[in-house]
């Protein structure tokens, strides 16, 4: 009889044995050192802010915005492979043994991140809220909501109808936001009764949609996407042999590529632009840009704004380095009647343009600051120059040199 728990452990160990050697390059890049400096600087700024909290500070709104993503985000690492849909189908009735390990493995780090975010926020919450809840009580509530979200997310993935999955996901998000708000704004006894009624109702509602015993296709695609994101992160620091990519439609972005001239010299630029618009890399850049703009708005009048601005631009630049891996092993690229050198030029051109655009967008929250305009303009020019020089140095030292042998 197949030992499913041993199979899960073997696959988990194999994954970490594959990726662990790459962490050496992460350490050598100086990324961790820079991140450490930013954490120390951010902690110093945060402690200083605690001493001068504005009157009527909207702490409950801030708490809701900060805590909601950590509570709602729920994913699961199953380490499933495409062939499992054939070879593990015969043990499908026993797969709960396998997924039980995956659930514990996935929820523990998510709960730790939630706890760290909550502990950091608590220092502000207990000072700014006129009637703060108990530390342990609110922490326990958040962990319970986290478990409920993970359970709901798992049941959504088992649903056989796509519309039901999206509808229940929307309901789960809305209920999570509502329950966190209730515990922040309402007395404890009201929040407790409301939460019990709502969670029980939600649990009963999860029983109605038809579900697969094991959603093989959904879980295999999810594992492939998660592995791809992990490899994209490692590719910031070293070339990773395999980087599986998920393709997104994003038809609302097609207008950008339609404006490009249909000419031979712009063929590779067109190809890489379309690929970027439909790749995971763009999603990561957009998410980081949104978070960065919020941070820049928060620090718009702080002396730390310039350092954080440069750090976010650095991370954005390293993310855009993944463009070089698009179509890396494509057979068709070798038979196009187009000079191969134009491929390299298109990569650099696209990465530079996107980096410059993000530098301007990331600076926009500074317009709302109260500092001198001369300083803000200098910061913008510095960001644009940083993005341009980053792409120039990267193309000279890494992109171009490693590809010269392929001509």
């Amino acid at each position: 009889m197949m030992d499913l728990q041993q199979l899960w452990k073997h696959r988990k160990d194999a994954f970490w044995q594959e990726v662990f050697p790459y962490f050496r390059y992460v350490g050598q890049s100086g990324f961790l050192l820079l991140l450490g400096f930013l954490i120390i600087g951010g902690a110093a700024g945060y402690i200083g802010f605690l001493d001068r909290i504005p009157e009527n500070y909207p702490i409950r709104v801030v708490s809701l915005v900060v805590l909601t993503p950590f509570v709602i985000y729920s994913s699961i690492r199953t380490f499933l492979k495409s062939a499992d849909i054939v070879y593990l189908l015969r043990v499908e009735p026993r797969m709960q043994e396998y997924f039980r390990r995956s659930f514990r493995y996935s929820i523990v780090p998510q709960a730790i991140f939630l706890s760290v975010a909550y502990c950091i926020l608590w220092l502000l919450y207990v000072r700014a809220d006129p009637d703060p809840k108990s530390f342990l009580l609110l922490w326990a509530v958040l962990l319970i909501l986290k478990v409920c979200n993970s359970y709901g997310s798992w049941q959504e993935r088992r649903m056989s109808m796509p519309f039901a999955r999206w509808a229940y996901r929307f309901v789960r998000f809305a209920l999570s936001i509502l329950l966190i708000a209730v515990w922040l704004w309402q007395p404890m006894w009201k929040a407790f009764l409301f939460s019990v009624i709502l969670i029980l109702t939600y649990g009963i509602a999860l029983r109605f949609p038809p579900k697969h015993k094991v959603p093989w296709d959904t879980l295999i695609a999810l594992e492939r996407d998660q592995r791809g994101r992990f490899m994209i992160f490692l590719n910031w620091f070293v070339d990773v042999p395999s980087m599986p990519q998920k393709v997104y439609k994003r038809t609302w972005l097609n207008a950008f590529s339609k404006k490009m001239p249909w000419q031979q010299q712009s063929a590779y630029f067109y190809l890489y632009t379309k690929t970027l618009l439909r790749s995971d890399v763009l999603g990561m850049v957009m998410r980081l840009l949104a978070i960065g703009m919020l941070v820049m708005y928060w620090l718009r009048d702080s002396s730390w704004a310039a350092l954080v601005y440069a750090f976010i631009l650095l991370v954005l630049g390293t993310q855009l380095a993944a463009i070089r891996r698009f179509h890396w092993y494509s057979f068709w690229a070798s038979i196009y009647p187009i000079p191969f050198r134009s491929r390299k030029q298109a990569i650099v051109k696209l990465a530079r343009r996107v980096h410059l655009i993000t530098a301007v967008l990331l600076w926009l929250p500074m317009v709302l600051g109260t500092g001198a305009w001369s300083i803000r303009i200098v910061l913008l020019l510095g960001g644009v120059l940083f993005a341009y020089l980053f792409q120039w140095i990267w193309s000279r030292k890494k992109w171009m040199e490693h590809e010269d042998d392929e001509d």
Side-chain angles (χ1 to χ4, degrees):
M1 180 179 294
M2 183 180 296
D3 189 340
L4 294 177
Q5 295 195 25
Q6 188 63 29
L7 175 64
W8 183 92
K9 184 178 182 302
H10 171 74
R11 290 188 172 181
K12 186 260 295 183
D13 293 342
F15 170 77
W16 286 109
Q17 287 173 6
E18 177 187 358
V19 302
F20 186 76
Y22 296 115
F23 283 98
R24 174 168 63 93
Y25 299 97
V26 178
Q28 291 176 350
S29 68
F31 175 78
L32 297 179
L33 182 61
L34 179 59
L35 187 61
F37 278 122
L38 287 175
I39 291 175
I40 294 173
Y46 185 58
I47 293 173
F49 178 75
L50 294 177
D51 294 331
R52 56 178 190 280
I53 301 174
E55 189 175 356
N56 299 323
Y57 185 74
I59 181 59
R60 294 178 181 177
V61 176
V62 172
S63 300
L64 180 63
V65 171
V66 171
L67 294 174
T68 296
F70 291 96
V71 172
I72 286 179
Y73 175 78
S74 299
S75 190
I76 184 171
R77 290 298 308 269
T78 59
F79 303 105
L80 291 178
K81 302 179 180 180
S82 298
D84 291 341
I85 200 170
V86 175
Y87 294 106
L88 293 184
L89 193 62
R90 63 186 179 87
V91 293
E92 185 178 80
R94 296 175 42 228
M95 284 300 293
Q96 289 302 322
E97 304 174 24
Y98 185 96
F99 294 131
R100 198 174 294 117
R101 294 287 299 271
S102 295
F103 187 83
R104 289 198 301 266
Y105 175 83
S106 302
I107 198 173
V108 168
Q110 295 173 25
I112 291 175
F113 283 122
L114 171 61
S115 301
V116 171
Y118 172 69
C119 291
I120 295 174
L121 178 67
W122 175 261
L123 300 175
L124 177 62
Y125 171 76
V126 74
R127 288 170 171 81
D129 195 294
D131 185 24
K133 299 292 191 302
S134 166
F135 174 84
L136 293 178
L137 171 67
L138 196 55
W139 188 17
V141 169
L142 292 172
L143 291 178
I144 292 173
L145 292 179
K146 181 65 189 177
V147 173
C148 293
N149 266 272
S150 297
Y151 176 77
S153 176
W154 171 251
Q155 296 302 323
E156 290 162 12
R157 291 186 170 93
R158 292 182 57 212
M159 295 177 185
S160 56
M161 296 184 294
F163 175 77
R165 287 199 296 269
W166 284 104
Y168 271 81
R169 182 172 300 173
F170 175 79
V171 170
R172 175 167 61 88
F173 287 1
L175 292 181
S176 298
I177 295 172
L178 179 60
L179 287 174
I180 297 173
V182 165
W183 278 97
L184 290 173
W185 269 275
Q186 296 299 322
M188 184 179 67
W189 67 272
K190 289 184 179 180
F192 177 78
L193 290 178
F194 186 78
S195 299
V196 171
I197 295 173
L198 214 58
I199 291 175
L200 289 177
T201 304
Y202 174 70
I204 294 172
L206 284 174
R207 296 179 176 271
F208 290 101
K211 303 181 184 69
H212 298 291
K213 182 69 175 180
V214 176
W216 292 103
D217 293 333
T218 301
L219 294 179
I220 291 172
L222 175 65
E223 178 63 26
R224 183 171 57 248
D225 294 343
Q226 291 179 325
R227 176 185 173 84
R229 295 189 187 100
F230 200 92
M231 293 302 180
I232 288 175
F233 168 75
L234 293 177
N235 196 67
W236 295 356
F237 312 98
V238 63
D239 288 338
V240 179
S242 62
M243 286 200 340
Q245 288 285 313
K246 181 178 180 180
V247 178
Y248 299 87
K249 290 185 177 180
R250 291 176 181 153
T251 54
W252 57 280
L253 290 174
N254 285 344
F256 290 97
S257 58
K258 290 180 179 178
K259 295 180 180 179
M260 290 183 291
W262 189 253
Q263 300 173 353
Q264 185 183 41
Q265 57 267 31
S266 61
Y268 272 117
F269 186 76
Y270 180 87
L271 172 66
Y272 278 89
T273 300
K274 295 286 283 188
T275 305
L276 176 64
L277 294 179
R278 299 181 179 185
S279 70
D280 255 328
V281 176
L282 181 65
M284 296 174 67
V285 169
M286 293 175 66
R287 286 191 292 270
L288 179 59
L289 180 61
I291 295 173
M293 292 179 71
L294 289 175
V295 174
M296 290 302 296
Y297 174 77
W298 178 271
L299 299 174
R300 62 190 183 277
D301 295 319
S302 172
S303 57
W304 290 94
L307 181 60
V308 173
Y309 183 54
F311 174 72
I312 298 176
L313 284 179
L314 174 63
V315 177
L316 284 168
T318 53
Q319 281 189 333
L320 292 172
I323 296 175
R324 190 171 65 92
R325 305 297 299 183
F326 293 162
H327 308 290
W328 185 263
Y329 299 105
S330 174
F331 163 75
W332 298 104
S334 63
I335 64 173
Y336 291 153
I338 304 171
F340 195 80
R341 182 75 179 180
S342 63
R343 173 181 180 269
K344 305 174 184 179
Q345 295 170 347
I347 293 172
V348 176
K349 180 180 177 181
L350 177 60
R352 181 187 296 123
R353 287 190 177 183
V354 176
H355 206 179
L356 291 173
I357 291 172
T358 57
V360 175
L361 293 176
L362 191 62
W363 172 84
L364 288 179
M366 298 298 295
V367 175
L368 303 176
T370 59
W373 268 103
S374 58
I375 297 178
R376 284 179 277 178
I377 294 298
V378 168
L379 183 63
L380 172 61
L381 295 177
V384 170
L385 181 62
F386 179 91
Y388 185 88
L389 290 177
F390 179 92
Q391 295 302 332
W392 182 81
I393 294 172
W394 190 273
S395 65
R396 292 286 180 178
K397 298 298 183 182
K398 190 176 182 66
W399 293 17
M400 294 300 199
E401 287 181 1
H402 290 351
E403 294 184 357
D404 281 343
D405 296 337
E406 299 178 18
D407 288 336

